[in-house]
Amino acid sequence: MSAATTRPDARSGPTPGATPDAAPDARPGTAPDTTPSTTPSTAPDTATATATAPGPLRGLRVLDLATLFAGPLAATLLGDFGAEVIKVEHPDRPDPSRGHGPAKDGVGLWWKLLGRNKRTMTLDLSTPGGRDTLLRLAATADVVVENFRPGTLEKWGLGWAELSAANPRLVLARVTAFGQVGPYARRPGFGTLAEAMSGFAAITGEPDGPPTLPPFGLADSIAALTCAYAVMTALAGRDRTGQGQVVDLAIIEPILTVLGPQPLWYDQLGYVQPRTGNRSANNAPRNTYRSADGRWLAVSASAQSIAERVVRLVGRPELIAEPWFATGSGRAAHAHVVDEAVGSWIARHKAEEVTAAFEEAQAAVAQVYDVRDVMADPQFAALDTLTEVEDPELGPLRMQNVLFRLSGTPGGIRWAGRPHGADTHAVLAELGLSEAEITALRGEGAL
């Protein structure tokens, strides 16, 4: 799939609360950015692409003022389904994701993913001109996403009072580590802290090992999904009331929700879930096992019928007659027995043989993939999970496609992340600023 096409048949770093007290920039235009230092000659016509954006959110305008990673990813998810997203960055301090992780030819690859379907402009919100310009932009927008520490926008005269006065229908999504209130509200925060404070790290890792953190932005990503949902919920409320509102999203909360009933267990039973490694306290077999050719495979038997199929497959049907085998918790309590039966059988067979045998027995198994396997897997190919996007800077790029397929109003990737400030001039011209006004803003240091 190339940029500006729709999906066939429908379809770790610091967190927002840690953003320093200085910030970005604002909307799409009909003319290409004429700033020589930021506009590639082969830049896509983003104004045209925005006007013809696929997806059910076409016509929705989002100002993305946020950085690493939850807020920007939430805006990306909205842009994937047709929202017009304007990425506002500080003139001298671009979104750090541009320099996060590996780069090719000096171009950060993470940004190509996080910045897709966004127009980019610069604006220093702490300057008078930057403030006034953002309020003008907000008057044309449906959503603003920000992740400054609480009080920062207010310090610049861009708090909810000013934004809602400029646009009573605006939804302001505030994504911070700890939320807008409480004793930790003004602390700097990162997704790592949310992974620690939510209880995730405490239950992750081997029983005799240390708490384990994920090697990617798990809490940020969960918060981004939640933020996109929260924005759409707030917009649905606006449809009923005619009034916008504030979304207060603390990154520590969504990850706590996906961890399940741990608070309820503790509240009612005093139960604290321990670290169990790859094993589950609720079922067995549930582990990873190494094949004869050195591949790792994951086996899960959450249903009784699947557990019975697995032990029959591995030649241990007598285990079914054991009283403890009749329940998931009973099997989990005897996981060492089940693991020995399953693991020893898998160790005698090659990975492909294991997969074929489990599939024939209608038992659940999957090879443990690294990214090379993901890129080559036929199921991902069938879903177009990893799609090709043409990029003026780097050529064809393969990246994750939009999150889901819609049969009637599919989303799509129109372009990958754009250069810093590439659309500043066009956005301001479309907003109605004259050349003299744009020049004055540049002279003030607002752009």
Side-chain angles (χ1 to χ4, degrees):
M1 179 188 295
S2 60
T5 61
T6 60
R7 185 168 189 164
D9 78 24
R11 197 143 116 128
S12 208
T15 69
T19 311
D21 290 350
D25 64 276
R27 155 166 188 171
T30 54
D33 188 342
T34 56
T35 307
S37 61
T38 57
T39 306
S41 59
T42 55
D45 185 343
T46 55
T48 300
T50 297
T52 59
L57 301 185
R58 179 179 175 182
L60 193 73
R61 172 168 288 178
V62 179
L63 304 183
D64 174 9
L65 314 184
T67 58
L68 298 173
F69 277 104
L73 179 55
T76 301
L77 299 175
L78 298 172
D80 282 351
F81 285 91
E84 175 188 350
V85 181
I86 302 165
K87 176 67 177 180
V88 180
E89 298 174 84
H90 191 279
D92 302 319
R93 292 183 291 280
D95 188 315
S97 66
R98 290 182 179 274
H100 215 74
K104 179 182 178 183
D105 299 335
V107 178
L109 296 175
W110 203 328
W111 167 251
K112 287 297 178 183
L113 177 67
L114 191 63
R116 72 189 191 189
N117 292 335
K118 299 179 183 181
R119 306 192 72 201
T120 62
M121 70 167 294
T122 60
L123 199 63
D124 185 344
L125 305 183
S126 67
T127 64
R131 173 194 179 276
D132 293 345
T133 302
L134 186 76
L135 288 175
R136 291 179 66 172
L137 280 165
T140 72
D142 298 280
V143 180
V144 171
V145 181
E146 65 99 0
N147 71 334
F148 300 105
R149 294 190 203 177
T152 301
L153 283 185
E154 285 76 7
K155 179 179 68 176
W156 294 332
L158 290 169
W160 177 238
E162 291 85 0
L163 289 170
S164 61
N167 183 355
R169 291 176 55 81
L170 187 70
V171 169
L172 174 62
R174 314 195 80 165
V175 186
T176 57
F178 303 110
Q180 296 295 310
V181 299
Y184 304 160
R186 292 188 61 82
R187 286 186 183 179
F190 301 90
T192 297
L193 305 190
E195 289 146 10
M197 292 177 63
S198 64
F200 171 85
I203 64 169
T204 305
E206 294 299 323
D208 57 351
T212 302
L213 297 167
F216 65 100
L218 176 64
D220 278 320
S221 299
I222 296 171
L225 292 165
T226 306
C227 182
Y229 163 61
V231 164
M232 297 310 300
T233 302
L235 290 172
R238 186 186 72 175
D239 288 344
R240 291 184 174 87
T241 67
Q243 296 294 313
Q245 60 185 300
V246 176
V247 173
D248 176 7
L249 193 150
I251 294 174
I252 56 174
E253 293 182 304
I255 188 171
L256 181 59
T257 296
V258 303
L259 286 172
Q262 289 188 59
L264 182 60
W265 286 340
Y266 182 76
D267 176 64
Q268 296 296 303
L269 303 171
Y271 175 73
V272 178
Q273 182 174 336
R275 286 192 291 282
T276 56
N278 288 329
R279 288 177 172 172
S280 167
N282 304 306
N283 282 290
R286 199 270 194 179
N287 212 330
T288 56
Y289 309 91
R290 197 168 191 174
S291 65
D293 54 350
R295 294 298 304 263
W296 288 93
L297 297 102
V299 174
S300 177
S302 296
Q304 180 69 23
S305 59
I306 299 295
E308 293 179 5
R309 291 172 194 167
V310 171
V311 295
R312 288 194 184 99
L313 170 63
V314 302
R316 296 292 301 277
E318 73 279 4
L319 294 178
I320 298 173
E322 295 287 348
W324 52 262
F325 198 88
T327 65
S329 59
R331 295 194 303 275
H334 293 78
H336 60 289
V337 177
V338 180
D339 277 348
E340 190 282 327
V342 176
S344 62
W345 184 87
I346 290 178
R348 298 194 300 272
H349 297 80
K350 293 182 178 180
E352 294 298 334
E353 296 170 342
V354 174
T355 302
F358 268 71
E359 185 173 344
E360 184 177 353
Q362 298 185 43
V365 71
Q367 293 187 33
V368 176
Y369 280 179
D370 65 20
V371 68
R372 294 168 293 186
D373 303 304
V374 171
M375 300 290 275
D377 186 88
Q379 182 61 33
F380 287 127
L383 295 172
D384 195 29
T385 304
L386 297 163
T387 197
E388 186 173 285
V389 179
E390 190 65 36
D391 181 66
E393 291 184 286
L394 299 178
L397 306 174
R398 290 184 69 194
M399 65 173 65
Q400 297 96 318
N401 210 331
V402 299
L403 272 178
F404 46 84
R405 289 159 292 282
L406 295 177
S407 61
T409 55
I413 303 173
R414 304 186 295 285
W415 60 82
R418 302 261 289 146
H420 180 232
D423 303 293
T424 303
H425 189 279
V427 167
L428 297 179
E430 184 183 89
L431 192 61
L433 274 71
S434 67
E435 288 296 325
E437 290 174 305
I438 295 174
T439 298
L441 286 172
R442 291 196 186 279
E444 179 188 335
L447 304 182

